[in-house]
Amino acid sequence: MIPTDELSFLKGIRMASLATDKNGNKTIQFKAANRRRKTIRLGPVPLAMAKSVKFRVEILAAAAITGHAIDDGTARWLNEIDGILRDKLVAVGLVAEREAVTVGELLDLYDKARPDVKRATKIVYGHTMRCLREFLGNSKPLRDVTPADAEAWRIWLEQNQKLSLSTARRRAGIAKQFFRWAVRKRLVEESPFADLKSGDQVNDSKDYFITRADAQKVLDACNSDEWQMIFALSRFGGLRCPSEHLGLRWGDIDWARNRITVHSPKTEHHAGGASRVIPLFPELRVLLERMFDQAAPGTEFVITKSREPGVNWRTTLLKIIARAGLKPWPKLFANLRATRATELAGQFPGHVAAEWLGHSTLIAQKHYWQTTDTDFEKAAATPLDSALQNPVQPGCDNPGLSTPARASRSAEASKNKEDFAPSRTLAHLGKTPLMGGGGLEPTTSTV
């Protein structure tokens, strides 16, 4: 670093001059170490900015003459200036040309700079990093990555890696995040991924509504109370799996007020998103009571055995579904949560259902709420306009239906009523199904 006394001496010498032409363009001139005059053209920048640059130019010129290192403030300034100004300083020999950062170095730097991200997020980032390294190459300079490379990479994700459009777009969004960070750190002037289409792509073809009948089959096929609890928390509590399951403590359950506090690692960085309160639904209470009675004194968490490292919940659930005689549905745990979101939205106001699930109504509409077969059946069975204009009084026949047809519909209605009636045998869970013919919850309008 240049000693203070030498800096004071140099300040007495006119190391650099600042000039402004009639058009407002600023120019800095200084004498280099070889005594030759050099010029830096700044253009029509504000005078205060031009004076600031002149001050740094004098320090850099002095360092070149004396052979001393620059001060910390100037070093930070060099790291923060944009690429255009730095190139001008390189052109006049005041700073060395920055060594080009490679794709591999960027990804390593980003990974080290984000110790704050959770383990699951690191895994997601890792998938995108692996794909970038494989396609672009670790040694490719960032400045050589073009928008055409970015577009080719996204296409490669779908065609070569066989990723769905939704997954490919999510990884494109993460890649854009990496390169935005590179721009902020002045590692590259602009991001080649900036215009790449990204974000969640809704894929309705993977939506699946898990009926209460199928849910009961899965519960019956579970070989432990804990796995019945894991499944029920997903299907009837709407919890995010596995983070919210693993965070559930016995102290989070308010038995007297019938409420459960759910801790949400996914949304804790949002204001008020660290936790939410949901009802202690009947479908959950009967299982929780049984597990609580069996828990050893001092047990903190509801889920204990399945929280060990290396436990694969997806694999276990697939085995349970196979034992239940069912075909696995897409997005195993996500569709359990979506099914519950749909049920609650049919029975309660949308904002209430969304709050219990821990997301906005907009997110619920985009990713969770589904149209079920029952919705179609109900709409087809009752002509809404006719029903409003000509309401049928109790006991009146519908002249449009034959007696056999009326009898058939009556039988079907009775069957549906039984399907959706709350179970009355919960107290005998050990010997009878967890849910009755239609489950444990009051009738809803969408299931």
Side-chain angles (χ1 to χ4, degrees), residues 9-19 29-31 37 54 58:
F9 168 74
L10 290 168
K11 285 180 181 179
I13 303 174
R14 192 174 182 183
M15 295 291 301
S17 62
L18 175 62
Q29 288 191 329
F30 70 98
K31 277 190 177 181
R37 185 164 291 278
K54 172 181 173 289
E58 289 178 333

Side-chain angles (χ1 to χ4, degrees), residues 291-370:
M291 288 188 67
F292 182 77
D293 291 340
Q294 296 173 356
T299 301
E300 180 181 7
F301 292 98
V302 174
I303 304 300
T304 55
K305 298 177 183 177
S306 299
R307 63 190 308 113
E308 297 299 325
V311 175
N312 191 319
W313 286 19
R314 174 182 170 80
T315 300
T316 303
L317 182 54
L318 285 172
K319 292 178 180 178
I320 294 172
I321 292 172
R323 283 201 300 270
L326 300 174
K327 182 179 178 180
W329 50 83
K331 301 187 299 184
L332 283 181
F333 288 99
N335 270 320
L336 290 172
R337 176 171 157 84
T339 296
R340 187 53 165 172
T342 302
E343 283 185 343
L344 294 177
Q347 186 176 1
F348 301 94
H351 72 281
V352 174
E355 182 175 327
W356 286 343
L357 269 289
H359 51 224
S360 66
T361 53
L362 181 63
I363 292 296
Q365 289 172 343
K366 184 176 180 181
H367 296 285
Y368 290 97
W369 294 346
Q370 302 175 10

Side-chain angles (χ1 to χ4, degrees), residues 341-413:
T342 302
E343 283 185 343
L344 294 177
Q347 186 176 1
F348 301 94
H351 72 281
V352 174
E355 182 175 327
W356 286 343
L357 269 289
H359 51 224
S360 66
T361 53
L362 181 63
I363 292 296
Q365 289 172 343
K366 184 176 180 181
H367 296 285
Y368 290 97
W369 294 346
Q370 302 175 10
T371 302
T372 68
D373 289 341
T374 305
D375 293 326
F376 283 96
E377 292 166 4
K378 290 177 65 176
T382 307
L384 299 181
D385 289 342
S386 300
L388 291 173
Q389 295 170 10
N390 302 299
V392 178
Q393 299 298 321
C396 293
D397 288 337
N398 184 341
L401 292 177
S402 64
T403 299
R406 287 197 299 273
S408 174
R409 178 173 296 177
S410 177
E412 182 66 19

Side-chain angles (χ1 to χ4, degrees), residues 27-289:
T27 301
I28 296 175
Q29 288 191 329
F30 70 98
K31 277 190 177 181
N34 60 5
R35 301 286 182 173
R36 297 184 62 180
R37 185 164 291 278
K38 299 289 184 88
T39 301
I40 302 173
R41 303 185 191 282
L42 299 179
V45 299
L47 181 59
M49 181 183 295
K51 287 182 177 180
S52 175
V53 175
K54 172 181 173 289
F55 172 69
R56 297 300 178 185
V57 166
E58 289 178 333
I59 294 176
L60 292 169
I65 292 172
T66 62
H68 290 290
I70 59 175
D71 62 287
D72 292 341
T74 302
R76 287 194 298 272
W77 177 78
L78 284 174
N79 285 328
E80 293 170 358
I81 61 175
D82 61 35
I84 297 175
L85 178 55
R86 186 181 182 92
D87 288 344
K88 291 181 178 182
L89 297 177
V90 170
V92 296
L94 286 178
V95 297
E97 186 172 4
R98 179 181 285 170
E99 186 176 348
V101 177
T102 65
V103 170
E105 289 170 341
L106 163 64
L107 299 177
D108 291 339
L109 288 170
Y110 187 88
D111 187 50
K112 292 178 182 178
R114 295 300 308 274
D116 58 308
V117 300
K118 296 180 175 61
R119 178 176 174 273
T121 304
K122 267 194 175 295
I123 292 174
V124 174
Y125 286 175
H127 292 318
T128 301
M129 290 180 177
R130 171 178 51 78
C131 291
L132 287 169
R133 293 178 193 274
E134 185 174 345
F135 184 81
L136 297 175
N138 275 323
S139 60
K140 189 180 184 74
L142 287 186
R143 64 190 179 195
D144 291 345
V145 180
T146 66
D149 291 331
E151 182 61 32
W153 175 76
R154 198 196 67 77
I155 295 173
W156 174 81
L157 291 178
E158 295 182 54
Q159 296 183 351
N160 185 279
Q161 299 296 291
K162 307 301 181 184
L163 300 182
S164 67
L165 176 61
S166 178
T167 302
R169 291 186 64 163
R170 280 199 300 273
R171 292 197 183 177
I174 296 171
K176 290 172 73 171
Q177 180 177 322
F178 296 158
F179 277 83
R180 279 197 304 270
W181 183 83
V183 172
R184 291 197 299 271
K185 293 296 181 180
R186 306 296 197 274
L187 302 178
V188 65
E189 289 187 25
E190 58 183 4
S191 170
F193 284 77
D195 296 328
L196 201 63
K197 290 184 178 180
S198 61
D200 287 337
Q201 178 74 20
V202 178
N203 186 358
D204 294 339
S205 66
K206 291 191 176 182
D207 287 351
Y208 190 89
F209 189 91
I210 296 89
T211 65
R212 287 175 172 265
D214 284 347
Q216 181 63 61
K217 292 178 182 178
V218 174
L219 286 166
D220 290 341
C222 291
N223 55 11
S224 68
D225 289 344
E226 181 161 290
W227 255 99
Q228 281 193 335
M229 191 75 259
I230 290 172
F231 183 83
L233 286 172
S234 298
R235 173 59 180 83
F236 301 111
L239 270 62
R240 295 182 180 93
C241 183
S243 60
E244 294 181 349
H245 297 59
L246 294 176
L248 185 62
R249 295 171 168 83
W250 289 115
D252 295 326
I253 302 171
D254 187 338
W255 303 98
R257 300 178 66 207
N258 288 310
R259 297 180 185 185
I260 301 175
T261 299
V262 177
H263 302 279
S264 180
K266 181 175 181 179
T267 59
E268 65 182 2
H269 60 286
H270 297 300
S275 65
R276 65 184 185 278
V277 178
I278 68 172
L280 177 51
F281 296 109
E283 302 95 326
L284 299 180
R285 184 175 188 112
V286 63
L287 277 171
L288 285 168
E289 287 179 341

